[in-house]
Amino acid sequence: MEKIWYFFVFSLEILENISEKVDIINMSLGGATSCDNYQIMNEAIDFARSQDVVVIVAAGNDSMDVKDFQPAGCEGVLTVGANNSFGEISTFSNFWF
């Protein structure tokens, strides 16, 4: 987890120096803790949103409520889960209410 977090922090430094505007950031990463526990995640999302960037994140695959995961449970993100061939939420996909 430390290596992944380090990569994310390193990426944040690059994000603030992007020379061309982006419209969307798509992240498929996360951890089993609320967003309140990671100030840097909130700051990154807030910065992206202040630049009118849409932040799309994966819900996760633990069949649990996204409120207990970051960044899926963070304010201001568009969280995307999985569905089956009938359009119903997959049994493994995290969910939100």
Side-chain angles (χ1 to χ4, degrees):
M1 182 69 176
E2 288 180 359
K3 289 181 183 179
I4 294 171
W5 191 250
Y6 174 76
F7 175 76
F8 181 73
V9 172
F10 176 73
S11 297
L12 291 179
E13 293 173 7
I14 294 171
L15 179 65
E16 292 186 33
N17 295 313
I18 289 176
S19 60
E20 295 182 34
K21 181 165 175 14
V22 299
D23 297 316
I24 298 170
I25 295 174
N26 182 31
M27 296 188 286
S28 183
L29 55 87
T33 186
S34 73
C35 224
D36 295 335
N37 293 330
Y38 286 102
Q39 181 180 351
I40 195 166
M41 181 71 74
N42 286 318
E43 289 174 1
I45 291 167
D46 289 345
F47 176 76
R49 293 182 63 219
S50 76
Q51 302 300 306
D52 296 321
V53 175
V54 176
V55 181
I56 302 172
V57 301
N61 298 318
D62 299 292
S63 193
M64 297 175 71
D65 193 323
V66 297
K67 69 176 177 54
D68 298 320
F69 289 82
Q70 54 81 21
C74 294
E75 186 176 328
V77 299
L78 176 60
T79 303
V80 179
N83 63 283
N84 62 26
S85 60
F86 300 105
E88 303 163 334
I89 191 165
S90 297
T91 57
F92 58 84
S93 183
N94 286 358
F95 51 86
W96 50 97
F97 292 107

